[in-house]
C-alpha cells in the first residue's frame, strides 16, 4: 500500500524540486552571513559549554543568519522527508522488491522528525530565549547525528536501487530485442 500510494516518479521529482529550492535558499542565507560552517559546528556540539562557547564567538551577522535560516528550515523537513519517502517507494516499486521493504518507506520520516526536534531545541538558543543545557544540547546533537546518518543511508540506498532498476530495465530491453 505504501509503495502504491507514494511510489510515483512524478511525486519524487516534485519533492526533489521543492527540496532543492529550499536547500538553496537556506544555503544562500547561511552563506551570506558566513554561517554555513557554524551550523554544523552547533549541530554536533554535544555539551552546553561547547555550544555556549561557540555561540559567544560568532558575530551578530552570523547569529542573524542562523536565526533567519529557520524561516525556511521549519518547512524544509517536509520537503526532504517527502523526497525520501517518495523516492524510496518509487525505487522499491521499480525493483519489485518484497513487501518487507515497505518498512523503509515508513522509516523515511526519521530524518525529518529528528530535524524538527533539533530545530525546536536550537532555535531558542540562537534567539537567546533560552540558555544551553547539557541535556538539550546533547539531545539536539543526537538528533542531528541520526538525521544526517539516516539521510546518508537513504542516499546510498537510492543510488543502489537506482542502479539495480536501471540494470533490470536494460536487461529487459535487451531480452525483448533478442526475442523480437
Amino acid at each position: 500500500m505504501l509503495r502504491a500510494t507514494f511510489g510515483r516518479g512524478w511525486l519524487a521529482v516534485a519533492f526533489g524540486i521543492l527540496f532543492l529550492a529550499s536547500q538553496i535558499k537556506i544555503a544562500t542565507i547561511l552563506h551570506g552571513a558566513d554561517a554555513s560552517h557554524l551550523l554544523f559546528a552547533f549541530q554536533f556540539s554535544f555539551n552546553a559549554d561547547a555550544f555556549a562557547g561557540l555561540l559567544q564567538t560568532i558575530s551578530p551577522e552570523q547569529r542573524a543568519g542562523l536565526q533567519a535560516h529557520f524561516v525556511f528550515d521549519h518547512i524544509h523537513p517536509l520537503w526532504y522527508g517527502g523526497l525520501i519517502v517518495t523516492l524510496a517507494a518509487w525505487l522499491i516499486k521499480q525493483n519489485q522488491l518484497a513487501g518487507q521493504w515497505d518498512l523503509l518507506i515508513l522509516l523515511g520520516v526519521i530524518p525529518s522528525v529528528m530535524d524538527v526536534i533539533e530545530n525546536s531545541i536550537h532555535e531558542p538558543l540562537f534567539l537567546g530565549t533560552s540558555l544551553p543545557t547539557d541535556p538539550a544540547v546533547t539531545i539536539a546533537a543526537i538528533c542531528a547525528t541520526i538525521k544526517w546518518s539516516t539521510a546518508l543511508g537513504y542516499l546510498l540506498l537510492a543510488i543502489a536501487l537506482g542502479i539495480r532498476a536501471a540494470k533490470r530495465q536494460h536487461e529487459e530491453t535487451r531480452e525483448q530485442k533478442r526475442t523480437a
Side-chain angles (χ1 to χ4, degrees), residues 84-112:
I84 290 170
V85 166
T86 58
L87 186 58
W90 182 72
L91 288 169
I92 288 168
K93 187 166 106 177
Q94 292 301 307
N95 281 281
Q96 299 174 350
L97 298 175
Q100 63 262 30
W101 282 82
D102 285 1
L103 180 62
L104 287 175
I105 300 167
L106 196 59
L107 296 176
V109 301
I110 290 173
S112 297

Side-chain angles (χ1 to χ4, degrees), residues 131-150:
L131 297 173
T133 63
D134 280 335
V137 171
T138 301
I139 290 168
I142 290 169
C143 287
T145 302
I146 293 169
K147 170 186 74 175
W148 287 110
S149 299
T150 308

Side-chain angles (χ1 to χ4, degrees), residues 2-13 82-106 151-169 172:
L2 289 173
R3 71 179 79 186
T5 304
F6 297 109
R8 303 164 195 269
W10 68 267
L11 196 53
V13 169
L83 174 59
I84 290 170
V85 166
T86 58
L87 186 58
W90 182 72
L91 288 169
I92 288 168
K93 187 166 106 177
Q94 292 301 307
N95 281 281
Q96 299 174 350
L97 298 175
Q100 63 262 30
W101 282 82
D102 285 1
L103 180 62
L104 287 175
I105 300 167
L106 196 59
L152 176 61
Y154 273 95
L155 174 61
L156 296 174
L157 175 71
I159 291 168
L161 290 178
I163 291 169
R164 185 176 188 266
K167 282 182 179 180
R168 285 189 65 212
Q169 180 65 36
E172 288 174 7

